[in-house]
């Protein structure tokens, strides 16, 4: 089995779907937890040396941290709307409670500065349509530099790729400090919708590719709902959603650069593809969602 592809069930030591630390990933900064919050059954998370976002994947919840309380309206699923969220600092005790049950992602980064908690309203989250033609996809920039600057190391965004489309394309990398890129470790956490286009299901699938120019990494894998793929280095892309099965992924990035950045370099063999988008129409299925709900 690939050491980079972590299918559902391989990253959990309890009832939660994902528990990934930098140590278990084999790198230094980036982590991810995905928690199930039972109906009126509070969960307590101690962040330790990590800052994090509390990002509802489904359901709504209450977040208590540092004497503050935040109500997150959340969403039915990642395919129905853009969500509100909360930033929580390192060295914090966070209590999560849901009246109806919820599933929550905690993208995390090991950091040194302790900031204050902060609420991110859904209506302030920019939704970008990127690419064109069959490379059209939605990028939800909730936790990226320039949009969300209240973080020390942590970067995160969401993508939705309509069925049959390609995203993370052209392939790109961010594994060295250069004129066009910074070093970032990256996690892809996938959700794949079933036949209704809304409800996540293991029935559907997508494809993901990661490789290096020297061939040391060369992986093409099928990914299903709640799988994780780790990007320690190398070019990554495309992510392809099988026809009929829209694909979501949460990207989590962090690295050693003193200033947060998501700068990358395209694979020069495929960067010409960007120039073709100007002559292609956008896929009308994008944007798929905004903060009010499904656009279609």
């Amino acid at each position: 089995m690939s050491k980079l592809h972590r299918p559902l069930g391989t990253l959990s030591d309890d009832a939660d779907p994902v528990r990934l630390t930098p140590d278990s990933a084999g790198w230094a900064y980036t982590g991810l937890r995905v928690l199930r919050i039972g109906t009126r059954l509070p969960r307590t998370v101690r962040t330790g040396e990590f800052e994090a976002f509390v990002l509802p994947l489904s359901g709504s919840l209450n977040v208590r941290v540092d004497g503050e309380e935040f109500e997150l309206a959340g969403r039915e699923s990642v395919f129905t709307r853009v969500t509100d969220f909360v930033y929580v600092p390192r060295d914090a005790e966070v209590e999560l409670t849901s009246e109806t049950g919820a599933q929550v992602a905690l993208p995390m980064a090991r950091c040194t500065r302790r900031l204050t908690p902060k609420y991110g309203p859904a209506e302030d989250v920019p939704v970008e349509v990127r690419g064109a033609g069959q490379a059209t996809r939605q990028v939800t920039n909730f936790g990226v530099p320039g949009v969300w600057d209240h973080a020390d190391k942590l970067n995160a965004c969401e993508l939705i790729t309509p069925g049959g489309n390609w995203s993370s394309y052209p392939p790109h990398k961010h594994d060295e400090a250069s004129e066009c890129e910074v070093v970032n470790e990256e996690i892809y956490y996938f959700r794949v919708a079933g036949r209704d286009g809304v409800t996540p299901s293991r029935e559907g699938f997508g494809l993901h590719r990661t490789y290096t120019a020297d061939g040391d990494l060369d992986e093409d894998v099928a990914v299903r709902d709640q799988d994780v793929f780790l990007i320690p280095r190398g070019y990554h892309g495309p992510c392809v959603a099988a026809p009929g099965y829209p694909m979501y992924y949460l990207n989590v990035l962090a690295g050693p650069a003193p200033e947060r950045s998501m700068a990358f370099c395209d694979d020069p063999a495929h960067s010409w593809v960007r120039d073709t988008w100007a002559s292609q129409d956008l896929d009308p299925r994008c944007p798929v969602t905004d903060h009010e709900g499904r656009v279609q």
Side-chain angles (χ1 to χ4, degrees), residues 87-291:
Y87 169 89
V88 295
R90 61 166 290 160
D91 300 315
E93 184 172 285
V94 185
E95 185 180 87
L96 308 174
T97 308
S98 177
E99 289 296 310
T100 57
Q103 190 174 59
V104 182
L106 273 67
M108 307 181 302
R110 182 176 275 140
C111 67
T112 56
R113 288 196 300 147
R114 191 183 196 276
L115 306 180
T116 57
K118 187 174 181 179
Y119 173 70
E123 56 266 27
D124 290 349
V125 175
V127 174
E128 173 189 1
V129 176
R130 191 175 294 176
Q134 288 183 293
T136 310
R137 62 274 199 180
Q138 170 179 324
V139 184
T140 304
N141 290 308
F142 76 93
V144 304
V147 171
W148 184 269
D149 293 325
H150 190 77
D152 186 20
K153 292 288 187 182
L154 180 60
N155 306 285
C157 62
E158 302 176 296
L159 287 90
I160 298 179
T161 310
N165 281 14
W166 294 42
S167 57
S168 290
Y169 194 74
H172 58 280
K173 73 180 183 76
H174 37 74
D175 57 14
E176 60 183 331
S178 71
E179 292 183 359
C180 72
E181 65 184 299
V182 298
V183 177
N184 271 322
E185 307 156 351
E186 184 170 10
I187 298 168
Y188 278 64
Y189 170 67
F190 293 91
R191 303 307 306 262
V192 180
R195 300 184 189 191
D196 64 2
V198 170
T199 308
S201 168
R202 296 281 291 177
E203 177 184 27
F205 66 98
L207 304 174
H208 174 87
R209 174 159 171 73
T210 289
Y211 61 96
T212 53
D214 62 7
D216 186 52
L217 290 181
D218 191 1
E219 300 206 17
D220 301 278
V221 299
V223 291
R224 295 184 182 273
D225 186 57
Q226 300 201 74
D227 285 6
V228 169
F229 200 96
L230 308 180
I231 313 290
R233 59 192 176 91
Y235 294 107
H236 36 289
C239 290
V240 186
Y245 299 106
M247 183 170 67
Y248 161 102
Y249 47 89
L250 171 63
N251 286 147
V252 188
L253 304 93
E259 300 292 332
R260 292 166 62 237
S261 172
M262 294 172 62
F264 62 86
C265 288
D266 284 341
D267 183 340
H270 304 295
S271 59
W272 64 271
V273 173
R274 290 187 185 275
D275 296 332
T276 69
W277 292 343
S279 61
Q280 298 180 48
D281 293 331
L282 298 177
D283 188 322
R285 294 176 293 176
C286 289
V288 180
T289 67
D290 60 21
H291 71 273

Side-chain angles (χ1 to χ4, degrees), residues 61-72 86 95 97 117 119:
L61 68 152
N62 175 278
V63 181
R64 293 183 183 180
V65 57
D66 284 6
E68 297 189 65
E69 189 167 334
F70 305 94
E71 290 287 344
L72 299 185
V86 170
E95 185 180 87
T97 308
Y119 173 70

